[in-house]
Amino acid sequence: MRCAVDIEARDVEEMYINIDPIQAGGRLTPEAMKAAISFGDGYSVCDNCRNPPRLDYIKNPPIAQYHADLAAWLNMDTARVVPGARRGFQAVASTLVSKGDPVILTALAHYTEFMAIEAAGGIPREIPKDEKNHITPDAAAEKIEAVIREFSRTPPLLFVDHVDYQFGNVHDVAGIIKVAHQYDIPVLVNGAYTVGIMPVDGKALGADFVVGSGHKSMAAPAPSGVLATTNEHAARVFRMTQAKGDVTGRTFGMKEVEMMGCTLMGVTVVGMMASFPHVRERVQHWETEVAHSQAVTDALLSIEGTKVLSDYPRKHTLTRIDTRGSFDMVAQRHKKRGFFLASDMKKRGITGVIPGSTKVWKYNTFGLTEKQIRHVGESFVGVAQDNGLNTV
Amino acid sequence: MSKRAVDAVFQALFLLSDIRFLLRETAPQHDLDEAEQKRAAATLEKVKRQIAVIEEELVR
């Protein structure tokens, strides 16, 4: 079925259980889907934009209130919606980083953190991970010292991922921030895999900035996200324009430079807002989500030769698995080669395993029902048994 | 201007969205239990009422 001339309607979520590692937390709620139907038109939230003409002042729909609610929910002082976490990174880096400044991030950092630093003219320096794929406060301290030695100055910013995208491991962010603050280095917490799916308390972490992704973890349309900060940094990062046209003499009121004026002017912000009550509630059930993740991981580990590369027991729903000793052995003799796994899983109604992946790959179980979790686990085991692998 | 027709269109789309999410929750088999079947039936009944309103308003 097509929704336009050459665009097939997407029915992936209706037809399959989707365990794609990046899509799980961004699936819309029914409320967001209804909001998308209603607010799909371009500048749809601007019907009631009054003075000052800025997104975070709009009262109908209640965007102003949503901004206040977002900040309070993250236990930060101020928040803005942004077009994806990456634009939050960019706003902060653009504000704090000058050309040639060293900026610290981690060996597990998302590429968009590198891009944000590069765009600001900064020089990235990585805190190495340890043998357990963790970023530790000690490693952060060592890196800060090394960077100060190398550049003869303190980095203006440190990025740390609350949960990294490679292993889905939870890092000691509070410990790392404590170390960074001893050097007066502000810290941006990348909560793309935490904000909206598990409880996040910015003040408890000691964060200067908390960035979340609407389309990755807040059940919102893309591109959407949140940048929250403290009173200490808000005036700088959310500074208002001083620009004036030399010919026209025009000025631009209260528009915020790093936000490029307004950010999410339609379906994205309303989708975030519509999902927010559900999102706020669902983070309280994180333990159930972790238990689901554990159940699928255990099913995979019951297949001889399979190893989990993420922390075990699981503490997150994103998991990196090594099936070189199991499914990849099948791939070497299977007529579909490495594509057999995704193909066989799809026949069982499960999608999200990257076609061709049988060595090291990831999955995310967030948001699935109990019944769906059982089906995923049984399907992995079933595919293994059908292809002659031993299970225990 | 038919505010009634417009409201009915939105209401029908929202109700069908609820059915869409029932399909998501029960994927891939869509093997609905008794409670889910009741939910589907009640929602579809409401959709029919909204369709009737739209017909009344637009194709009399």
Side-chain angles (χ1 to χ4, degrees):
Chain A
M1 188 181 60
R2 292 177 184 214
C3 52
V5 179
D6 53 359
I7 303 172
E8 283 291 327
R10 179 177 185 265
D11 58 7
V12 169
E13 308 294 346
E14 288 75 22
M15 295 300 293
Y16 302 97
I17 297 170
N18 184 3
I19 57 170
D20 184 288
I22 65 170
Q23 293 181 333
R27 273 191 287 266
L28 298 192
T29 58
E31 294 76 21
M33 197 65 86
K34 293 171 191 176
I37 289 168
S38 183
F39 280 84
D41 296 312
Y43 283 112
S44 57
V45 302
C46 305
D47 297 335
N48 298 298
C49 183
R50 304 286 182 262
N51 247 335
R54 211 170 80 187
L55 184 78
D56 54 311
Y57 279 85
I58 293 174
K59 289 187 176 151
N60 178 22
I63 298 172
Q65 186 59 48
Y66 177 60
H67 279 76
D69 292 346
L70 263 181
W73 176 61
L74 292 170
N75 198 14
M76 297 294 277
D77 297 324
T78 308
R80 296 287 185 274
V81 293
V82 288
R86 63 195 66 195
R87 295 297 181 184
F89 306 153
Q90 193 176 32
V92 175
S94 167
T95 301
L96 300 186
V97 178
S98 300
K99 195 166 191 276
D101 279 347
V103 181
I104 296 180
L105 69 177
T106 80
L108 297 172
H110 193 255
Y111 78 92
T112 54
E113 296 170 32
F114 282 86
M115 305 287 113
I117 295 167
E118 186 175 6
I123 300 165
R125 288 290 181 264
E126 295 171 286
I127 305 168
K129 62 186 176 73
D130 68 10
E131 69 286 352
K132 291 179 179 169
N133 300 308
H134 279 249
I135 307 296
T136 66
D138 285 347
E142 277 176 35
K143 193 67 187 192
I144 291 168
E145 288 287 348
V147 168
I148 291 171
R149 279 197 302 275
E150 183 186 355
F151 289 85
S152 302
R153 62 183 190 273
T154 306
L157 180 62
L158 185 150
F159 286 85
V160 63
D161 296 35
H162 196 179
V163 164
D164 70 87
Y165 77 98
Q166 295 191 37
F167 295 92
N169 288 346
V170 184
H171 301 280
D172 180 6
V173 166
I176 292 164
I177 291 173
K178 203 170 168 189
V179 166
H181 283 177
Q182 285 167 5
Y183 294 86
D184 289 328
I185 304 171
V187 178
L188 182 153
V189 176
N190 175 2
Y193 276 103
T194 55
V195 172
I197 61 166
M198 60 184 268
V200 175
D201 182 327
K203 292 266 168 67
L205 292 172
D208 298 279
F209 305 97
V210 173
V211 173
S213 169
H215 53 266
K216 194 168 268 167
S217 295
M218 298 172 76
S224 59
V226 57
L227 164 60
T229 188
T230 60
N231 287 333
E232 184 187 349
H233 300 286
R236 273 186 83 190
V237 173
F238 301 133
R239 67 194 177 281
M240 287 181 271
T241 177
Q242 303 295 313
K244 185 174 183 179
D246 68 322
V247 173
T248 61
R250 287 180 301 156
T251 56
F252 306 96
M254 291 173 64
K255 299 292 188 192
E256 292 171 338
V257 177
E258 294 298 346
M259 299 296 105
M260 293 295 286
C262 298
T263 52
L264 312 183
M265 287 86 87
V267 69
T268 41
V269 69
V270 175
M272 280 181 92
M273 290 165 60
S275 281
F276 188 55
H278 175 80
V279 164
R280 200 160 40 181
E281 165 65 17
R282 77 183 187 182
V283 301
Q284 305 303 324
H285 306 290
W286 178 237
E287 293 308 320
T288 302
E289 295 291 346
V290 172
H292 285 171
S293 170
Q294 185 67 35
V296 171
T297 304
D298 284 340
L300 277 158
L301 291 177
S302 75
I303 302 163
E304 209 171 84
T306 299
K307 296 174 193 163
V308 62
L309 301 178
S310 305
D311 283 342
Y312 187 88
R314 295 300 303 121
K315 291 178 183 160
H316 197 271
T317 56
L318 172 69
T319 301
R320 186 172 171 124
I321 200 92
D322 179 349
T323 53
R324 284 176 291 194
S326 52
F327 290 129
D328 195 54
M329 308 290 277
V330 175
Q332 288 168 29
R333 54 182 159 75
H334 201 283
K335 64 179 179 188
K336 289 186 182 169
R337 309 297 290 176
F339 291 89
F340 92 91
L341 179 59
S343 170
D344 281 13
M345 288 299 281
K346 200 158 186 179
K347 280 183 202 153
R348 292 169 184 262
I350 295 155
T351 188
V353 176
I354 296 170
S357 294
T358 48
K359 292 182 167 68
V360 174
W361 48 282
K362 295 184 287 187
Y363 58 90
N364 196 335
T365 57
F366 186 80
L368 302 184
T369 65
E370 201 79 43
K371 195 173 170 185
Q372 288 173 322
I373 287 292
R374 270 200 307 277
H375 184 70
V376 172
E378 286 165 7
S379 295
F380 276 126
V381 170
V383 169
Q385 289 171 341
D386 286 354
N387 286 280
L389 294 172
N390 292 327
T391 55
V392 288
Chain B
M1 180 191 283
S2 175
K3 174 73 173 147
R4 194 165 173 252
V6 172
D7 284 351
V9 167
F10 274 113
Q11 196 55 44
L13 289 168
F14 294 163
L15 288 162
L16 286 171
S17 295
D18 289 333
I19 297 289
R20 182 176 180 186
F21 276 80
L22 190 57
L23 290 169
R24 288 180 168 213
E25 284 162 27
T26 57
Q29 291 103 337
H30 301 138
D31 185 12
L32 277 59
D33 64 23
E34 201 177 324
E36 288 162 340
Q37 285 184 35
K38 272 189 183 168
R39 214 169 100 200
T43 306
L44 289 171
E45 226 18 77
K46 289 179 190 170
V47 173
K48 286 177 194 166
R49 284 205 291 272
Q50 298 305 323
I51 300 287
V53 169
I54 299 165
E55 280 178 337
E56 271 177 39
E57 291 292 313
L58 301 182
V59 289
R60 277 171 295 176

